[in-house]
């Protein structure tokens, strides 16, 4: 009887303190392929893993480091499942930037980089 009371108190305490919400914000497991064109474009394809609801969660594509290129319209929307792809354009020619697919839970409590690749030097 004491053991049941202790377990019940622990479970209730977890949810009262908000720790239960973070358990639901587990990052998806997914892989992405990056195909860079000869100048400033990249096609990113969800190549396998979990389906991601990008309308509920935030999925962005960013370019950092290297030169000055940044991604124009770097948000992804809809349902991302294996085979889904989208083209993104950089603000200038690629210069070895790291292009990343980033995920953030709808609650804002969890975030992760799901995939990344280094762009060629097309400057």
């Amino acid at each position: 009887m004491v053991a049941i009371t202790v377990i019940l108190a622990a479970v209730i305490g977890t949810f009262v303190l908000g720790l239960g919400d973070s358990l639901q914000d587990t990052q998806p497991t997914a892989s992405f392929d990056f195909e860079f064109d000869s100048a400033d474009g990249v096609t990113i394809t969800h190549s396998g893993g979990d389906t991601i609801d990008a309308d509920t969660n935030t999925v962005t594509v960013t370019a950092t480091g290297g030169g000055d290129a940044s991604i124009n319209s770097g948000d992804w929307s809809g349902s991302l499942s294996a085979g889904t792809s989208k083209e993104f354009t950089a603000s200038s020619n690629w210069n070895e930037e790291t292009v990343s697919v980033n995920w953030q839970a709808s609650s804002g409590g969890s975030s992760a980089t799901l995939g990344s690749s280094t762009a060629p030097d097309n400057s």
Side-chain angles (χ1 to χ4, degrees):
M1 191 72 154
V2 173
I4 292 173
T5 304
V6 169
I7 292 170
L8 186 58
V11 169
I12 292 171
T14 299
F15 285 100
V16 168
L17 295 174
L19 299 175
D21 294 339
S22 65
L23 296 176
Q24 296 174 357
D25 288 345
T26 56
Q27 84 178 49
T29 302
S31 57
F32 292 87
D33 291 329
F34 297 78
E35 184 178 333
F36 295 94
D37 70 12
S38 61
D40 63 354
V42 60
T43 300
I44 302 174
T45 303
H46 182 296
S47 58
D50 296 334
T51 297
I52 304 165
D53 183 359
D55 289 332
T56 303
N57 302 288
T58 302
V59 179
T60 57
V61 176
T62 59
T64 57
D68 295 328
S70 61
I71 297 288
N72 297 324
S73 301
D75 291 338
W76 212 325
S77 60
S79 180
L80 284 77
S81 58
T84 304
S85 64
K86 185 172 179 179
E87 293 182 35
F88 296 92
T89 305
S91 59
S92 62
N93 286 351
W94 295 120
N95 186 13
E96 299 180 348
E97 290 81 4
T98 299
V99 177
S100 303
V101 176
N102 308 295
W103 169 87
Q104 183 171 11
S106 58
S107 67
S110 298
S111 62
T113 298
L114 301 178
S116 65
S117 184
T118 302
D121 185 356
N122 293 330
S123 56

